[in-house]
Amino acid sequence: VTGLPIRHVGERFQRSNDTILRYFCKMVTIFASEPFYSKHVSLPFASSTTTVHPKIMWSHRFWPYFKDVIGAIDGSHIPASLPLHDCTAYHNRK
């Protein structure tokens, strides 16, 4: 959740790296296990994957990158773009 390395998390919680790694692996196993995964993770229905917005589907610029995407977590797509005068400030940024 924090995006920090194990060493930093261990330092923050005053635990060894081995302890942090052990509990991290336990949590990954729990989240990937069948009871938790099947109850809390749901993929979009097959019909919703076929209903792609026409602006994306017919655009040669967008479709090669979005053709295999199954949607956001809740199945919604949110269009976002910068104002034209701000585009150059964010060009080639990570």
Side-chain angles (χ1 to χ4, degrees):
V1 173
T2 61
L4 295 174
I6 289 174
R7 185 179 72 238
H8 291 223
V9 175
E11 228 174 82
R12 166 68 175 89
F13 293 105
Q14 296 296 303
R15 299 288 184 259
S16 70
N17 293 346
D18 184 53
T19 303
I20 299 295
L21 181 62
R22 191 172 348 116
Y23 281 98
F24 177 77
C25 290
K26 283 183 182 183
M27 296 306 295
V28 168
T29 304
I30 289 170
F31 292 143
S33 67
E34 188 55 38
F36 182 88
Y37 189 82
S38 61
K39 182 177 179 181
H40 297 288
V41 176
S42 63
L43 296 174
F45 297 111
S47 63
S48 68
T49 60
T50 59
T51 57
V52 178
H53 194 277
K55 184 175 182 177
I56 294 174
M57 184 180 282
W58 301 114
S59 171
H60 297 294
R61 193 174 90 185
F62 297 132
W63 185 247
Y65 304 105
F66 289 100
K67 67 180 177 183
D68 296 325
V69 175
I70 59 172
I73 292 174
D74 63 349
S76 63
H77 294 279
I78 301 168
S81 61
L82 292 169
L84 191 58
H85 64 277
D86 286 341
C87 287
T88 55
Y90 292 94
H91 188 69
N92 289 335
R93 303 282 185 201
K94 292 183 180 180

